């Protein structure tokens, strides 16, 4: 369009009208307004369309059929990908950093040892108490190639590289620390798109992800991964001066429940550091602009700990009884939740059996196409398999 507005294009000739586009609104805008305004003659040879001779009333109908065709094709592709994803196959085009495709079987992932060692080291550094920013800085200082640089050296096509060589981004480190693929699991359906017209990716909630365990060799143990995720729940981001607090990630606003930011300054001593409401900092009208000194928090925590220790010292038996009662209550609650989960799983299996039988009858009677039947049966079978594996585990935990 920029070239057209500059007067560098006078004629547009295509073999088939659908080559112009399959969005009826955009194509209609071009034919009826934009081409005429820019003085462009549009010709579609196979469809006998020439804007110099006028636009036939049939053309909008052609645009509508072209869009329907694109929509139908998009839906078929989505169904293929969904069937593939529900069967446990990897939907990602390329394996994540630390893995590579098996030369003998492209569907299989194997460990890429040099990259896997860096992944292991990143997890070890996180367990040791280092945050993503510090990990990225250490890797940069040691001139460790970034994933993009490593893939480029291995011959893989890379879209973009940083201007500074070996410059690790904390976001890259976070992505590695949060990927379940490193414990041997396949995670499908992380993202989706609104429609075939809008290709922008939308992140789906974790509840809608489909996880298949132990589908490829693990680089990180599940215990290490769980420890890292627990540490990541209480993120301790350093301030601009590089300082952190033992209470960072643990402080929440009493009024609105938002996290409180740790704040300091270059020339401040420890008694002047403070916490402030994150919501108030972003929008003063959302919450009052209150704050609390880090030193006051420390004094309050110490005072409460001393009170508890004093109580334990003089009421040791009662304290032990209270802990035992609390433990029993927690066990009862956990047992109740697992029983509910078991009941739901058993009920869902019965529902799936009925749904499968109904789909089979509809397919035999011709109400349901073979393609749709295969998709539904694959989905039902995959869910039923997961539940059948889950039920014995729950029964064992309850007994």
């Amino acid at each position: 369009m920029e070239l057209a507005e500059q007067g560098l294009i006078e004629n547009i000739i295509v073999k088939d009208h659908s080559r112009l586009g399959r969005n009826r609104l955009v194509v209609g805008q071009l034919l009826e307004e934009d081409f005429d305004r820019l003085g462009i003659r549009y010709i579609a040879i196979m469809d006998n369309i020439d804007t110099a001779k006028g636009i036939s009333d049939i053309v909008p109908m052609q645009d509508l059929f072209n869009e329907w065709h694109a929509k139908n094709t998009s839906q078929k592709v989505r169904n293929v990908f969904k069937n593939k994803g529900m069967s446990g196959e990897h939907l990602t085009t390329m394996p994540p950093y630390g893995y590579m495709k098996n030369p003998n079987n492209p569907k299989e992932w194997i460990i890429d040892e040099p990259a896997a060692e860096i992944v292991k080291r990143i997890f070890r550094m996180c367990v040791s108490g280092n945050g993503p920013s510090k990990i990225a800085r250490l890797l940069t200082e040691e001139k460790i190639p970034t994933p993009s640089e490593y893939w480029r050296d291995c011959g893989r096509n890379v879209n973009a590289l940083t201007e500074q060589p070996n410059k690790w981004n904390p976001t890259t480190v976070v992505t590695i620390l949060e990927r379940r693929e490193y414990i041997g699991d396949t995670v499908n359906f992380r993202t989706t798109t609104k429609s075939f017209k809008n290709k922008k990716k939308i992140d789906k909630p974790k509840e809608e992800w489909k996880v298949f365990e132990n589908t490829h060799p693990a680089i990180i143990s599940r215990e290490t991964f769980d420890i890292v995720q627990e540490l990541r729940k209480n993120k301790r981001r350093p301030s601009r001066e590089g300082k952190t607090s033992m209470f960072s990630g643990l402080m929440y606003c009493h009024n609105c429940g938002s996290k409180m930011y740790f704040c300091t300054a270059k020339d401040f001593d420890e008694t002047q550091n403070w916490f402030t409401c994150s919501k108030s900092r972003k929008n003063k009208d959302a919450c009052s602009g209150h704050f609390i000194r880090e030193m006051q928090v420390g004094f309050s925590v110490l005072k409460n700990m001393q009170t508890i220790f004093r109580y334990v010292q003089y009421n040791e038996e009662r304290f032990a009884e209270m802990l035992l009662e609390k433990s029993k209550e927690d066990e009862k609650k956990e047992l109740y939740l697992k029983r509910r989960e078991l009941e739901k799983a058993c009920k869902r299996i019965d529902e799936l059996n009925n749904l499968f039988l109904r789909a089979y009858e509809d397919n035999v009677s011709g109400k349901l196409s073979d393609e749709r039947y295969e998709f539904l049966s694959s989905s039902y079978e995959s869910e039923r398999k997961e539940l059948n594996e889950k039920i014995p585990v729950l029964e064992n935990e309850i007994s």
Side-chain angles (χ1 to χ4, degrees), residues 1 26 28-40:
M1 291 301 293
V26 175
Q29 172 84 16
L30 286 171
L31 290 178
E32 297 180 20
E33 295 183 14
D34 292 341
F35 285 165
D36 182 60
R37 175 174 57 84
L38 297 170
I40 295 175

Side-chain angles (χ1 to χ4, degrees), residues 233-236 245-263 273-279 290-301:
K233 286 180 182 178
N234 300 314
K235 304 170 187 175
R236 297 186 176 185
S245 169
M246 70 173 71
F247 304 113
S248 294
L250 303 173
M251 297 284 294
Y252 293 86
C253 176
H254 177 70
N255 289 353
C256 65
S258 301
K259 274 194 175 185
M260 299 190 75
Y261 287 158
F262 175 63
C263 305
N273 298 335
W274 78 98
F275 287 91
T276 186
C277 174
S278 59
K279 182 176 284 189
H290 54 274
F291 75 100
I292 185 171
R293 295 285 182 190
E294 181 193 23
M295 184 178 62
Q296 289 179 272
V297 178
F299 284 152
S300 297
V301 171

Side-chain angles (χ1 to χ4, degrees), residues 102-266:
N102 187 341
N104 301 322
N105 182 8
K107 292 184 178 181
E108 182 183 344
W109 288 359
I110 58 176
I111 295 176
D112 185 359
E113 292 297 342
E117 286 302 317
I118 303 300
V119 173
K120 291 177 183 177
R121 187 178 173 194
I122 289 172
F123 274 85
R124 285 198 300 268
M125 286 193 285
C126 183
V127 172
S128 300
N130 298 301
S133 298
K134 187 174 181 180
I135 294 173
R137 188 174 69 252
L138 292 172
L139 294 173
T140 300
E141 290 174 355
E142 296 182 23
K143 297 183 178 180
I144 304 296
T146 64
S148 296
E149 292 169 338
Y150 178 79
W151 289 328
R152 178 199 60 191
D153 295 339
C154 292
R156 188 193 295 188
N157 291 327
V158 179
N159 292 329
L161 293 171
T162 56
E163 294 181 0
Q164 182 180 344
N166 308 318
K167 175 66 176 178
W168 280 76
N169 192 310
T171 305
T172 305
V173 177
V174 170
T175 301
I176 291 173
L177 292 173
E178 294 181 350
R179 293 204 70 160
R180 288 194 57 163
E181 283 84 351
Y182 292 120
I183 56 175
D185 296 349
T186 294
V187 183
N188 290 333
F189 310 117
R190 274 194 175 99
T191 60
T192 186
T193 55
K194 285 187 176 181
S195 69
F196 72 99
K197 293 182 181 180
N198 188 349
K199 299 298 182 181
K200 184 179 179 181
K201 287 188 176 181
I202 302 171
D203 293 328
K204 298 178 70 174
K206 289 187 177 181
E207 297 76 25
E208 296 182 20
W209 293 2
K210 202 68 178 177
V211 180
F212 301 87
E213 297 184 353
N214 304 317
T215 57
H216 53 270
I219 295 176
I220 303 298
S221 67
R222 292 185 182 273
E223 293 76 14
T224 301
F225 185 81
D226 291 339
I227 291 171
V228 167
Q229 303 318 304
E230 194 64 33
L231 290 171
R232 294 283 301 148
K233 286 180 182 178
N234 300 314
K235 304 170 187 175
R236 297 186 176 185
R237 294 186 177 92
S239 63
R240 292 179 181 178
E241 288 70 36
K243 297 179 181 179
T244 55
S245 169
M246 70 173 71
F247 304 113
S248 294
L250 303 173
M251 297 284 294
Y252 293 86
C253 176
H254 177 70
N255 289 353
C256 65
S258 301
K259 274 194 175 185
M260 299 190 75
Y261 287 158
F262 175 63
C263 305
T264 184
K266 186 176 181 180

Side-chain angles (χ1 to χ4, degrees), residues 9-16 19 40-45 49:
I9 297 178
E10 296 181 355
N11 299 317
I12 295 179
I13 303 174
V14 295
K15 182 180 179 181
D16 183 84
R19 300 291 180 90
I40 295 175
R41 181 182 181 184
Y42 170 74
I43 301 172
I45 299 172
I49 297 173

